[in-house]
Structure formats: C-alpha cells, structure tokens
C-alpha cells in the first residue's frame, strides 16, 4: 500500500490532522490501538475563551475560537453524528474586588462576553453572590463520541489499522518511509505523551495527569449553562451524570484515580455548588503537554519527512483545529508555522 502520510495515534490531534489532509486530497493511513485511559477519551472537552483564576482571554483566542466551531460542525455533518455542544459558560465573581477588576478589563474581552452580571443570577444552583460573566463562543466537545465515529469512518474507508505502532519497525530514507507493507512519503506522530517515541524523546515534555468526578445532583442544573470557577460542572445530554474537573498532577503519572484528587475536587465543588450531589465515579487520564505550555508541532531536525503534532495539553479542543490547518499547509505548501508552536525552538536540544 502506498499513501502520502502515515499517522501514528488517534486522538484529538490525529482527527484534526487527518481531516485537514483530506481537504487537501492527501491519502493517509492511521495506526492506533485502543487506550481506554487516553486523555482524549476521559477529557470533558471544554472550550473556553476566558480562563484562569484572573479570568483572562486565553492565548490566541481571537484566532482559535473563530475556527473551531465551524471545523467540528463540518465534521459532525461528515460523520452524521452529534458531539459538539455550544453552551454558555458562567464564571461567577468571587468577591467585589474580583468583580471590579473584571469591569476594568471587560472591554478587552467583549467578543467573548454574552452578558455581565453584578448581582446573583444562579443562586438556586451555585454560590454567585457577586454576579459573574456569561461567555459566548464556548461549550464542550464529546471527544469520546467523536473518536468513535471518526474511527469507524476510517475503518470503513480502509484508512485505520488497529495496532500498537512499533517504532523499531519503521524504515526511513530521504524519499519515503516504510512500515510493514505500507510505503509513505511522510509520517506524522500524534501519539500522545512522548516517553516511548524515540524520534522525539529529546523534546522537553511535561505530561499532566488529570482526574474528573462523575456526579448526580439532587435536582438538574440549567441545560444551557456550564458552571466554571475552581472546577467546571458539565453534562452531556446523552448521559445521566455531570462531569466535574479537573486536577493537575505532574509526578505520579498513572491512570489510577486518587483520594487526593477526589478531595481537591469535592472541596472546590462544595464552594461552588449549592445543590446536593452524589459521586458515582472517578476517572483519570494523562494529557500530552509541553514544558512551555505550547503545542509541539513541526519537522524533525534531521529527517525531512518525519513530523510531529502533539503536546496540545489541557486546551486541545480549541488548539487542534486551527493549528492542524496551519501544520498541514506548512507541510504541503511550505507556509510558516507559528514560532511559539514550532519545535525548531528546541532544535538545540537534539543530538543524533
């Protein structure tokens, strides 16, 4: 079999890359095996233009958020499935000082603000004595559902091989790469945390373990709102429970839920939520992230047909579409990659 691209891995990154390759009429084959604990399968999938304790506009929001909803909506149509949920995110103020600080900065974020409240608006559900901001261009992606339908479509088109990729079997030269009976002009690694990848193990990664609670509430919360301050509370219409998250752990990188994370989440949830709830499950995953919190995208410093699209971290849903388009145009049309994501920023760390 001859293709233009071999893609290793099947998560958010892989979906975004393959769908942009398809737009350029490039052929590809994906190699991946099931990992029920991958970050893409357990993530809540939020996309949120105003983040952090100080509620600041996220990096490159004006570019990312004008593209992502159109991309995922088109993908829904192509896969005949539903996995994108456009919902307003409500972020309550924590104090009058918090409210005043926001009012000073509000004009800088107007494109993402639906409404600002200076008095309580959701008192029956959460603690918001000082009001809060209701965000626009926000919501969540059911990543697990998207991956399920995307994988089935690739299998149907003979573009997916269920197999753990064996890095030692890859044969590479200047004109192409060989893997088993597949000959390809290029290979792109979208394989999550990089500890096992010998081609890019020199990159300074910082994988992050994240844990999420599944809860049932005594009464339903508003269907069209995601509450988010300290923790997020989001419900998929196809499920009976809410997801609450998330934690950040850089040391103990396994897939086992912990009592420590459960305590962290419940303490923050109790500060936010007014409604009684019951914990029904707890899940963990590992996000592929970089030390400078920017994606790891680009070409191997020595081998011109070996590429990486990885390190999307906690904001993968919003980062993947925009940078996949930029990445594919970089490969096919030699367009410039954003300097902050291009792995050439780390070339001095490479030694062959």
């Amino acid at each position: 079999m001859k293709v233009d691209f071999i893609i290793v891995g099947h998560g958010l990154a892989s979906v975004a890359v393959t769908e942009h390759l398809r737009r350029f009429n490039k052929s590809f084959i994906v190699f991946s095996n099931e990992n029920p604990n991958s970050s893409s399968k357990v993530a809540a999938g939020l996309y949120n233009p105003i983040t952090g304790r100080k509620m600041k506009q996220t990096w490159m929001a004006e570019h990312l958020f004008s593209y992502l909803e159109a991309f995922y909506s088109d993908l829904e149509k192509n896969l005949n499935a539903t996995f994108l949920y456009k919902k307003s995110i409500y972020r309550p103020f924590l104090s009058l000082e918090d409210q005043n600080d926001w009012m000073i900065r509000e004009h800088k974020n107007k494109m993402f603000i639906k409404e600002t409240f200076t008095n309580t608006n959701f008192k029956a559900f959460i603690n918001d004595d000082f009001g809060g901001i209701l965000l626009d261009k926000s919501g969540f992606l059911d990543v697990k559902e998207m991956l399920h339908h995307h994988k089935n479509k690739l299998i149907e088109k003979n573009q997916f091989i269920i197999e753990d990729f064996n890095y030692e079997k890859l044969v590479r030269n200047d004109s192409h790469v060989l893997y088993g009976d597949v000959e390809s002009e290029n290979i792109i690694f979208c394989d999550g945390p990089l500890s096992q990848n010998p081609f890019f193990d020199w990159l300074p990664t910082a994988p992050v373990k994240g844990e999420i609670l599944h809860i049932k509430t005594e009464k339903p919360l508003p269907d069209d709102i995601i509450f988010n301050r300290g923790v997020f509370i989001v419900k998929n219409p196809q499920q009976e429970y809410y997801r609450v998250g998330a934690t950040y752990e850089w040391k103990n990188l396994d897939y086992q839920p912990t009592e420590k994370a459960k305590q962290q989440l419940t303490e923050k949830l109790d500060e936010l939520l007014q409604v009684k709830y019951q914990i029904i499950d707890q899940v963990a995953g590992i996000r592929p992230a970089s030390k400078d919190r920017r994606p790891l995208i680009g070409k191997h410093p020595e081998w011109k047909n070996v590429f990486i699209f990885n390190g999307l971290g906690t904001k993968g849903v919003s980062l993947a579409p925009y940078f996949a388009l930029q990445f594919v145009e970089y490969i096919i049309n030699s367009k410039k990659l954003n300097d902050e994501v291009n792995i050439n920023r780390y070339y001095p760390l490479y030694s062959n």
Side-chain angles (χ1 to χ4, degrees), residues 87-269:
K87 294 179 179 286
S88 295
I89 293 178
Y90 183 69
R91 306 208 64 196
F93 299 125
L94 301 181
S95 63
L96 279 176
E97 182 183 11
D98 194 24
Q99 182 191 105
N100 291 334
D101 287 346
W102 172 257
M103 294 304 182
I104 295 171
R105 303 192 311 272
E106 184 178 21
H107 68 283
K108 298 179 180 179
N109 303 284
K110 278 195 176 295
M111 68 179 294
F112 297 114
I113 305 303
K114 183 175 290 187
E115 192 169 355
T116 299
F117 299 92
T118 55
N119 295 300
T120 181
N121 195 56
F122 294 99
K123 190 64 176 178
F125 306 102
I126 64 167
N127 292 311
D128 70 332
D129 292 342
F130 305 99
I133 56 173
L134 196 63
L135 302 183
D136 197 12
K137 297 181 176 63
S138 58
F140 76 93
L141 183 75
D142 186 339
V143 183
K144 186 176 181 180
E145 185 75 2
M146 180 191 69
L147 293 177
H148 168 73
H149 287 282
H150 191 257
K151 175 184 175 182
N152 287 345
K153 191 73 169 181
L154 294 184
I155 291 174
E156 180 184 309
K157 292 177 173 289
N158 296 315
Q159 293 176 308
F160 196 103
I161 295 178
I162 302 173
E163 177 182 314
D164 285 323
F165 190 83
N166 185 339
Y167 301 98
E168 294 180 358
K169 285 174 56 179
L170 183 68
V171 178
R172 187 210 59 79
N173 60 40
D174 289 337
S175 63
H176 64 271
V177 295
L178 288 172
Y179 186 77
D181 63 354
V182 179
E183 179 181 331
S184 175
E185 292 184 19
N186 308 280
I187 185 167
I188 300 173
F189 290 100
C190 304
D191 47 352
L194 303 176
S195 59
Q196 305 301 316
N197 188 326
F199 303 101
F200 293 100
D201 57 3
W202 47 275
L203 288 170
T205 59
V208 185
K209 179 179 179 178
E211 299 188 45
I212 290 177
L213 299 179
H214 295 172
I215 68 168
K216 285 188 175 181
T217 57
E218 187 177 60
K219 65 178 181 179
L221 307 182
D223 288 337
D224 57 340
I225 302 293
I226 297 170
F227 294 120
N228 186 359
R229 198 69 202 258
V231 290
F232 59 74
I233 308 171
V234 59
K235 184 179 185 296
N236 187 321
Q238 311 304 321
Q239 298 166 336
E240 296 182 353
Y241 58 84
Y242 294 87
R243 286 173 289 176
V244 176
T247 60
Y248 301 85
E249 171 61 56
W250 287 268
K251 293 182 179 179
N252 301 311
L253 299 179
D254 58 38
Y255 296 106
Q256 297 304 312
T258 64
E259 189 63 32
K260 176 184 175 182
K262 181 179 179 180
Q263 182 176 343
Q264 289 176 352
L265 291 172
T266 53
E267 286 178 357
K268 292 179 180 178
L269 182 60

